[in-house]
Amino acid sequence: MASVSLTLLSPLFSNSSKSSLKLGISNANNANQTSIQESLNLICIDSKRGVSVSQRRETLIKGLALLPLVVFGGAPISEAREVEVGSYLPPSPTDPSFVVFKASPKDTPALRAGNVQPYQFLIPPTWKQSRVANILSGNYCQPKCAEPWVEVKFEDEKQGKIQVVASPLIRLTNKPNASIEEIGNPEKVIASLGPFVTGNSYDPDELLETSVEKRGQQTYYKYVLETPFALTGSHNLAKATAKGSTVVLFVASANDKQWSTSQKTLKAMLDSFEV
């Protein structure tokens, strides 16, 4: 009466566990085992049940595939699918080469908390939305975050990437519900928000151009930056405005290769951004 026994190994348990891998073979304690420190439960499969070796192997593999669901409480992150935004966003009524992204409370923690006013912008249909790490999303600090956070991110490997960054108004001024003009001139605002454009540091010499745009009651500051040392890319466009208790910053970034062919597209996306 032959039987097969197997111990599954995992780093979730202390290495003081004395369970070992039992496969009925003489080299069970070889050099590879010494690198495995911890163990799960012993699973025993008795061949008297009439289950073939191949069937037992298939059952075991399927069981192992479910371990991430049991241990981590959800589908593995790698299963998340990125799809082109054109497959689910509506086309722009003014330019058929773009679709419209309108942020809603289901999109970000800050919008759900009412800490950011809804915003929208145009985006090419071939772009894809990127994940925002939880620590960068402001999810842990809403509705009273002290530091800026990333709202949404989109990218296209051939054209560049964009992101929307939000900053608590209190970080730039003590005046409640201040407008962007009341915070200061364009140079003062970008001096505070520049590192969130570049991903690392900001040098005033990198600022090539500033402009002011008015849409109804809302004022926007626009920037063109050449940032050779930026983590986001060597070319950056930015647009900032203040509304309620938050300053919202739209950033479009590209490297030299992307910029040469996509700067017109990135500028159109920047121009379309509004809160």
Side-chain angles (χ1 to χ4, degrees), residues 192-210:
S192 297
L193 299 178
F196 303 98
V197 174
T198 64
N200 45 15
S201 61
Y202 169 70
D203 184 340
D205 291 338
E206 297 172 335
L207 183 60
L208 300 182
E209 182 184 326
T210 65

PDB file of all heavy atoms in Angstrom, residues 192-210:
ATOM      1  N   SER A 192       6.728  75.937  -5.773  1.00  0.00           N
ATOM      2  CA  SER A 192       6.213  75.021  -4.748  1.00  0.00           C
ATOM      3  C   SER A 192       5.862  73.653  -5.306  1.00  0.00           C
ATOM      4  O   SER A 192       6.053  72.631  -4.653  1.00  0.00           O
ATOM      5  CB  SER A 192       4.979  75.624  -4.080  1.00  0.00           C
ATOM      6  OG  SER A 192       5.290  76.819  -3.401  1.00  0.00           O
ATOM      7  N   LEU A 193       5.349  73.645  -6.539  1.00  0.00           N
ATOM      8  CA  LEU A 193       4.852  72.392  -7.116  1.00  0.00           C
ATOM      9  C   LEU A 193       5.826  71.743  -8.091  1.00  0.00           C
ATOM     10  O   LEU A 193       5.605  70.618  -8.536  1.00  0.00           O
ATOM     11  CB  LEU A 193       3.521  72.643  -7.835  1.00  0.00           C
ATOM     12  CG  LEU A 193       2.364  73.163  -6.966  1.00  0.00           C
ATOM     13  CD1 LEU A 193       1.137  73.413  -7.827  1.00  0.00           C
ATOM     14  CD2 LEU A 193       2.051  72.192  -5.842  1.00  0.00           C
ATOM     15  N   GLY A 194       6.911  72.444  -8.441  1.00  0.00           N
ATOM     16  CA  GLY A 194       7.863  71.933  -9.429  1.00  0.00           C
ATOM     17  C   GLY A 194       8.343  70.516  -9.203  1.00  0.00           C
ATOM     18  O   GLY A 194       8.392  69.711 -10.147  1.00  0.00           O
ATOM     19  N   PRO A 195       8.706  70.134  -7.957  1.00  0.00           N
ATOM     20  CA  PRO A 195       9.172  68.759  -7.725  1.00  0.00           C
ATOM     21  C   PRO A 195       8.132  67.694  -8.072  1.00  0.00           C
ATOM     22  O   PRO A 195       8.488  66.553  -8.359  1.00  0.00           O
ATOM     23  CB  PRO A 195       9.494  68.750  -6.227  1.00  0.00           C
ATOM     24  CG  PRO A 195       9.842  70.171  -5.920  1.00  0.00           C
ATOM     25  CD  PRO A 195       8.906  70.986  -6.769  1.00  0.00           C
ATOM     26  N   PHE A 196       6.850  68.078  -8.059  1.00  0.00           N
ATOM     27  CA  PHE A 196       5.796  67.120  -8.400  1.00  0.00           C
ATOM     28  C   PHE A 196       5.562  67.060  -9.910  1.00  0.00           C
ATOM     29  O   PHE A 196       4.856  66.193 -10.401  1.00  0.00           O
ATOM     30  CB  PHE A 196       4.513  67.472  -7.647  1.00  0.00           C
ATOM     31  CG  PHE A 196       4.706  67.500  -6.167  1.00  0.00           C
ATOM     32  CD1 PHE A 196       4.925  68.696  -5.504  1.00  0.00           C
ATOM     33  CD2 PHE A 196       4.732  66.323  -5.442  1.00  0.00           C
ATOM     34  CE1 PHE A 196       5.148  68.726  -4.135  1.00  0.00           C
ATOM     35  CE2 PHE A 196       4.954  66.337  -4.076  1.00  0.00           C
ATOM     36  CZ  PHE A 196       5.165  67.529  -3.413  1.00  0.00           C
ATOM     37  N   VAL A 197       6.186  67.995 -10.625  1.00  0.00           N
ATOM     38  CA  VAL A 197       6.208  67.940 -12.086  1.00  0.00           C
ATOM     39  C   VAL A 197       7.357  67.049 -12.547  1.00  0.00           C
ATOM     40  O   VAL A 197       7.196  66.189 -13.411  1.00  0.00           O
ATOM     41  CB  VAL A 197       6.360  69.355 -12.687  1.00  0.00           C
ATOM     42  CG1 VAL A 197       6.533  69.273 -14.208  1.00  0.00           C
ATOM     43  CG2 VAL A 197       5.158  70.221 -12.333  1.00  0.00           C
ATOM     44  N   THR A 198       8.515  67.241 -11.948  1.00  0.00           N
ATOM     45  CA  THR A 198       9.723  66.528 -12.389  1.00  0.00           C
ATOM     46  C   THR A 198       9.904  65.152 -11.748  1.00  0.00           C
ATOM     47  O   THR A 198      10.575  64.304 -12.293  1.00  0.00           O
ATOM     48  CB  THR A 198      10.974  67.354 -12.052  1.00  0.00           C
ATOM     49  OG1 THR A 198      11.086  67.487 -10.620  1.00  0.00           O
ATOM     50  CG2 THR A 198      10.895  68.739 -12.672  1.00  0.00           C
ATOM     51  N   GLY A 199       9.312  64.955 -10.574  1.00  0.00           N
ATOM     52  CA  GLY A 199       9.504  63.687  -9.872  1.00  0.00           C
ATOM     53  C   GLY A 199      10.715  63.692  -8.966  1.00  0.00           C
ATOM     54  O   GLY A 199      10.939  62.741  -8.231  1.00  0.00           O
ATOM     55  N   ASN A 200      11.508  64.759  -8.992  1.00  0.00           N
ATOM     56  CA  ASN A 200      12.632  64.854  -8.069  1.00  0.00           C
ATOM     57  C   ASN A 200      12.855  66.292  -7.604  1.00  0.00           C
ATOM     58  O   ASN A 200      12.408  66.677  -6.545  1.00  0.00           O
ATOM     59  CB  ASN A 200      13.902  64.248  -8.675  1.00  0.00           C
ATOM     60  CG  ASN A 200      14.152  64.650 -10.120  1.00  0.00           C
ATOM     61  OD1 ASN A 200      13.559  65.592 -10.632  1.00  0.00           O
ATOM     62  ND2 ASN A 200      15.035  63.946 -10.793  1.00  0.00           N
ATOM     63  N   SER A 201      13.530  67.113  -8.397  1.00  0.00           N
ATOM     64  CA  SER A 201      13.814  68.482  -7.971  1.00  0.00           C
ATOM     65  C   SER A 201      13.398  69.473  -9.052  1.00  0.00           C
ATOM     66  O   SER A 201      13.126  69.091 -10.194  1.00  0.00           O
ATOM     67  CB  SER A 201      15.315  68.638  -7.671  1.00  0.00           C
ATOM     68  OG  SER A 201      16.074  68.365  -8.836  1.00  0.00           O
ATOM     69  N   TYR A 202      13.366  70.752  -8.662  1.00  0.00           N
ATOM     70  CA  TYR A 202      12.985  71.791  -9.615  1.00  0.00           C
ATOM     71  C   TYR A 202      14.022  72.899  -9.603  1.00  0.00           C
ATOM     72  O   TYR A 202      14.418  73.401  -8.545  1.00  0.00           O
ATOM     73  CB  TYR A 202      11.617  72.362  -9.262  1.00  0.00           C
ATOM     74  CG  TYR A 202      11.275  73.616 -10.039  1.00  0.00           C
ATOM     75  CD1 TYR A 202      11.000  73.553 -11.399  1.00  0.00           C
ATOM     76  CD2 TYR A 202      11.281  74.867  -9.411  1.00  0.00           C
ATOM     77  CE1 TYR A 202      10.721  74.711 -12.128  1.00  0.00           C
ATOM     78  CE2 TYR A 202      10.993  76.017 -10.125  1.00  0.00           C
ATOM     79  CZ  TYR A 202      10.715  75.934 -11.478  1.00  0.00           C
ATOM     80  OH  TYR A 202      10.447  77.073 -12.189  1.00  0.00           O
ATOM     81  N   ASP A 203      14.467  73.290 -10.784  1.00  0.00           N
ATOM     82  CA  ASP A 203      15.405  74.383 -10.966  1.00  0.00           C
ATOM     83  C   ASP A 203      14.700  75.465 -11.780  1.00  0.00           C
ATOM     84  O   ASP A 203      14.200  75.190 -12.875  1.00  0.00           O
ATOM     85  CB  ASP A 203      16.654  73.878 -11.704  1.00  0.00           C
ATOM     86  CG  ASP A 203      17.723  74.946 -11.849  1.00  0.00           C
ATOM     87  OD1 ASP A 203      17.395  76.147 -11.737  1.00  0.00           O
ATOM     88  OD2 ASP A 203      18.886  74.584 -12.078  1.00  0.00           O
ATOM     89  N   PRO A 204      14.611  76.698 -11.276  1.00  0.00           N
ATOM     90  CA  PRO A 204      13.938  77.772 -12.025  1.00  0.00           C
ATOM     91  C   PRO A 204      14.472  77.955 -13.444  1.00  0.00           C
ATOM     92  O   PRO A 204      13.731  78.420 -14.331  1.00  0.00           O
ATOM     93  CB  PRO A 204      14.212  79.017 -11.168  1.00  0.00           C
ATOM     94  CG  PRO A 204      14.421  78.481  -9.786  1.00  0.00           C
ATOM     95  CD  PRO A 204      15.093  77.163  -9.961  1.00  0.00           C
ATOM     96  N   ASP A 205      15.717  77.581 -13.678  1.00  0.00           N
ATOM     97  CA  ASP A 205      16.284  77.706 -15.022  1.00  0.00           C
ATOM     98  C   ASP A 205      15.633  76.740 -16.015  1.00  0.00           C
ATOM     99  O   ASP A 205      15.793  76.894 -17.231  1.00  0.00           O
ATOM    100  CB  ASP A 205      17.796  77.459 -14.991  1.00  0.00           C
ATOM    101  CG  ASP A 205      18.553  78.577 -14.278  1.00  0.00           C
ATOM    102  OD1 ASP A 205      17.993  79.693 -14.195  1.00  0.00           O
ATOM    103  OD2 ASP A 205      19.666  78.334 -13.797  1.00  0.00           O
ATOM    104  N   GLU A 206      14.922  75.738 -15.504  1.00  0.00           N
ATOM    105  CA  GLU A 206      14.253  74.770 -16.377  1.00  0.00           C
ATOM    106  C   GLU A 206      12.932  75.290 -16.927  1.00  0.00           C
ATOM    107  O   GLU A 206      12.358  74.701 -17.833  1.00  0.00           O
ATOM    108  CB  GLU A 206      14.013  73.461 -15.605  1.00  0.00           C
ATOM    109  CG  GLU A 206      15.294  72.761 -15.143  1.00  0.00           C
ATOM    110  CD  GLU A 206      15.029  71.591 -14.233  1.00  0.00           C
ATOM    111  OE1 GLU A 206      13.963  71.570 -13.565  1.00  0.00           O
ATOM    112  OE2 GLU A 206      15.884  70.689 -14.182  1.00  0.00           O
ATOM    113  N   LEU A 207      12.456  76.385 -16.369  1.00  0.00           N
ATOM    114  CA  LEU A 207      11.183  76.960 -16.797  1.00  0.00           C
ATOM    115  C   LEU A 207      11.387  77.790 -18.055  1.00  0.00           C
ATOM    116  O   LEU A 207      12.064  78.813 -18.049  1.00  0.00           O
ATOM    117  CB  LEU A 207      10.606  77.824 -15.671  1.00  0.00           C
ATOM    118  CG  LEU A 207       9.232  78.454 -15.928  1.00  0.00           C
ATOM    119  CD1 LEU A 207       8.185  77.396 -16.178  1.00  0.00           C
ATOM    120  CD2 LEU A 207       8.838  79.348 -14.737  1.00  0.00           C
ATOM    121  N   LEU A 208      10.789  77.351 -19.159  1.00  0.00           N
ATOM    122  CA  LEU A 208      10.949  78.036 -20.449  1.00  0.00           C
ATOM    123  C   LEU A 208       9.865  79.065 -20.712  1.00  0.00           C
ATOM    124  O   LEU A 208      10.110  80.100 -21.329  1.00  0.00           O
ATOM    125  CB  LEU A 208      10.949  77.010 -21.593  1.00  0.00           C
ATOM    126  CG  LEU A 208      12.038  75.940 -21.577  1.00  0.00           C
ATOM    127  CD1 LEU A 208      11.889  75.048 -22.810  1.00  0.00           C
ATOM    128  CD2 LEU A 208      13.428  76.554 -21.517  1.00  0.00           C
ATOM    129  N   GLU A 209       8.648  78.765 -20.236  1.00  0.00           N
ATOM    130  CA  GLU A 209       7.515  79.620 -20.617  1.00  0.00           C
ATOM    131  C   GLU A 209       6.398  79.510 -19.591  1.00  0.00           C
ATOM    132  O   GLU A 209       6.135  78.430 -19.052  1.00  0.00           O
ATOM    133  CB  GLU A 209       7.012  79.178 -22.002  1.00  0.00           C
ATOM    134  CG  GLU A 209       5.868  79.982 -22.567  1.00  0.00           C
ATOM    135  CD  GLU A 209       5.388  79.412 -23.895  1.00  0.00           C
ATOM    136  OE1 GLU A 209       6.232  78.888 -24.656  1.00  0.00           O
ATOM    137  OE2 GLU A 209       4.172  79.482 -24.170  1.00  0.00           O
ATOM    138  N   THR A 210       5.740  80.622 -19.305  1.00  0.00           N
ATOM    139  CA  THR A 210       4.542  80.614 -18.459  1.00  0.00           C
ATOM    140  C   THR A 210       3.440  81.403 -19.163  1.00  0.00           C
ATOM    141  O   THR A 210       3.710  82.296 -19.969  1.00  0.00           O
ATOM    142  CB  THR A 210       4.797  81.259 -17.084  1.00  0.00           C
ATOM    143  OG1 THR A 210       5.091  82.644 -17.253  1.00  0.00           O
ATOM    144  CG2 THR A 210       5.942  80.577 -16.363  1.00  0.00           C
TER     145      THR A 210
END
